[in-house]
Amino acid sequence: MRREEPLTRSSQDYLEAILNLSEREQNVRITDLANHLQVTKPSATGMVKVMSKQGLLQHDKYGPIQLTEEGAKQAHLVRQRHRALKDFLVHILGVPHKTAEKEACLMEHSISMDTSERLYLFLRENLTK
Amino acid sequence: MRREEPLTRSSQDYLEAILNLSEREQNVRITDLANHLQVTKPSATGMVKVMSKQGLLQHDKYGPIQLTEEGAKQAHLVRQRHRALKDFLVHILGVPHKTAEKEACLMEHSISMDTSERLYLFLRENLTK
DNA sequence: CAATTATGTTAGGATTGACTAACATCAGAA
DNA sequence: TTCTGATGTTAGTCAATCCTAACATAATTG
C-alpha cells in the first residue's frame, strides 16, 4: 500500500503541526490544530478529512487526530527539513529566530530529501555548536 | 502610486521569466512566456491581464509584453534571490544544477529581502571562486 | 492576395485551500 | 439531569491558477 498523491504544501504543514502537538498533549484536536496553523476550524476539519482519505492520519467524527504510521514517517521527514533550514537561517546566516521560523516554514516545502540531507551534513560540519 | 497587492508566487515567476526573456529577444510574446513557464497560452494570457491591471507590465491585445518600471524593479529583486539560492545550492551544498534550478525556483518565493541579502554576503565570503 | 500556419483570446470548468454562517455534539457545572 | 459553553461539522462561497475547446487575428508564403 504505497502513497500515490504527493504531499501538498498544506498537508505537510498539517503533518508537522500534528506531530508537534502530539508530543505535547496526548490528544490532538481540531481546535488545537486550527489554532496552531492559524486557520479556522472548518478549514482544519476539511483538510483532516482529505488527509484521512489519503491514509496519513486517522480521525473519527468528534474524535482526536492521530497520525498513521505513514503519516508519522512523512511528518518526521518534513520536520527534519524544517529544522535543518531553520538552523541554517539562524546559525549560519544570522536571521532572527522569528523570521527564520516563518521562512523555514515556507521553504521546507521546496527542497528535496537529497538537498535536505546535504544541508544536514553542511550544518554538521559548520556548526561549532 | 504604490503597489498594494503583494506579489504572488505566480506573479513572481512571471516577472522573472519576462525579465529573462526580454534580455534575449527584444519582444516577449505570450507564447514565449507560456513555453518558458510550462503553462498553456490561455493561462499566460490570463495572468498577464491580471499583472497588467496591477501595474507590473504593459500589454495590448496581440502586442508584446513589457515590464513597467515597477515590474522590472520587482523582477530584478526576484531574480537576485533566485540566483543567490541557486548558487548556494550548487556551490555550497553541491546539488546538481538541474535540481538546484528547480528548487531555487520554488524557494525563492519564501525568503525575504533581508534573508536574501544575508545569503548574498555569506556567498561572497564563502565562494572561493 | 489568398491560403495556411503561428499566435493570441474567450468561454467555460476544475482544483486547492481558505472563509463565514449555521447547526450539532459533547462535557462540565449548577 | 439539564443548561451552557467549548468543540466539531456542514453547507455554501470565494479567489487564485490552472486547464481544454473553440474562435480570432496576424504573419508568411505560394
Side-chain angles (χ1 to χ4, degrees):
Chain A
M1 72 144 143
R2 316 206 40 271
R3 293 202 52 267
E4 321 278 328
E5 338 232 2
L7 300 178
T8 63
R9 241 171 262 282
S10 250
S11 63
Q12 289 183 49
D13 288 338
Y14 277 83
L15 282 179
E16 193 179 0
I18 295 166
L19 178 58
N20 288 330
L21 288 169
S22 71
E23 287 169 354
R24 298 206 257 99
E25 304 156 47
Q26 77 276 53
N27 269 346
V28 180
R29 298 164 312 153
I30 291 284
T31 298
D32 303 330
L33 195 50
N35 290 337
H36 200 79
L37 292 169
Q38 307 254 62
V39 297
T40 59
K41 289 178 290 166
S43 300
T45 301
M47 195 61 193
V48 160
K49 199 175 286 183
V50 169
M51 293 172 70
S52 166
K53 226 170 274 172
Q54 295 176 340
L56 294 167
L57 52 80
Q58 216 278 315
H59 179 242
D60 308 306
K61 250 192 178 186
Y62 299 101
I65 297 157
Q66 273 176 292
L67 293 176
T68 58
E69 203 174 314
E70 175 64 19
K73 189 177 107 196
Q74 296 295 331
H76 280 283
L77 293 177
V78 170
R79 188 165 70 178
Q80 187 178 311
R81 283 203 286 278
H82 179 113
R83 287 182 174 168
L85 282 166
K86 185 175 172 190
D87 284 348
F88 171 72
L89 292 175
V90 171
H91 297 115
I92 306 288
L93 296 189
V95 175
H97 275 75
K98 206 138 189 190
T99 313
E101 181 56 38
K102 228 180 304 175
E103 297 186 4
C105 222
L106 296 170
M107 282 197 272
E108 79 192 25
H109 308 305
S110 314
I111 77 175
S112 62
M113 258 341 273
D114 176 69
T115 299
S116 168
E117 265 154 38
R118 286 170 189 275
L119 183 57
Y120 216 72
L121 291 179
F122 171 81
L123 291 171
R124 277 243 167 286
E125 284 168 25
N126 292 270
L127 283 191
T128 26
K129 149 88 102 339
Chain B
M1 71 144 142
R2 317 208 35 275
R3 294 203 51 268
E4 322 278 329
E5 338 232 1
L7 300 178
T8 63
R9 242 171 262 280
S10 251
S11 62
Q12 289 181 49
D13 287 338
Y14 277 83
L15 282 179
E16 194 179 359
I18 295 166
L19 178 58
N20 288 331
L21 288 169
S22 71
E23 287 170 354
R24 298 208 257 101
E25 304 157 47
Q26 77 275 52
N27 269 346
V28 180
R29 296 165 314 155
I30 291 284
T31 299
D32 304 330
L33 196 50
N35 290 337
H36 200 80
L37 292 170
Q38 307 254 63
V39 297
T40 59
K41 289 177 293 166
S43 299
T45 301
M47 194 62 192
V48 160
K49 201 175 285 183
V50 169
M51 292 172 70
S52 165
K53 226 170 274 172
Q54 296 176 338
L56 293 168
L57 53 80
Q58 216 278 312
H59 179 242
D60 308 307
K61 249 192 179 188
Y62 298 101
I65 297 157
Q66 274 176 290
L67 293 176
T68 58
E69 201 174 318
E70 175 65 19
K73 189 177 107 195
Q74 297 295 332
H76 280 283
L77 293 177
V78 171
R79 187 166 69 177
Q80 187 177 311
R81 282 203 287 277
H82 179 113
R83 288 182 173 169
L85 282 166
K86 186 174 172 193
D87 284 349
F88 171 72
L89 292 174
V90 170
H91 298 115
I92 305 288
L93 297 189
V95 174
H97 276 75
K98 205 136 189 193
T99 313
E101 182 57 37
K102 227 180 305 174
E103 297 186 5
C105 223
L106 296 170
M107 281 198 271
E108 79 192 25
H109 307 305
S110 313
I111 77 175
S112 60
M113 257 342 272
D114 176 69
T115 299
S116 169
E117 265 155 36
R118 286 170 189 274
L119 184 56
Y120 215 72
L121 292 178
F122 171 81
L123 290 171
R124 275 242 167 288
E125 284 168 26
N126 291 271
L127 283 191
T128 26
K129 186 307 241 18

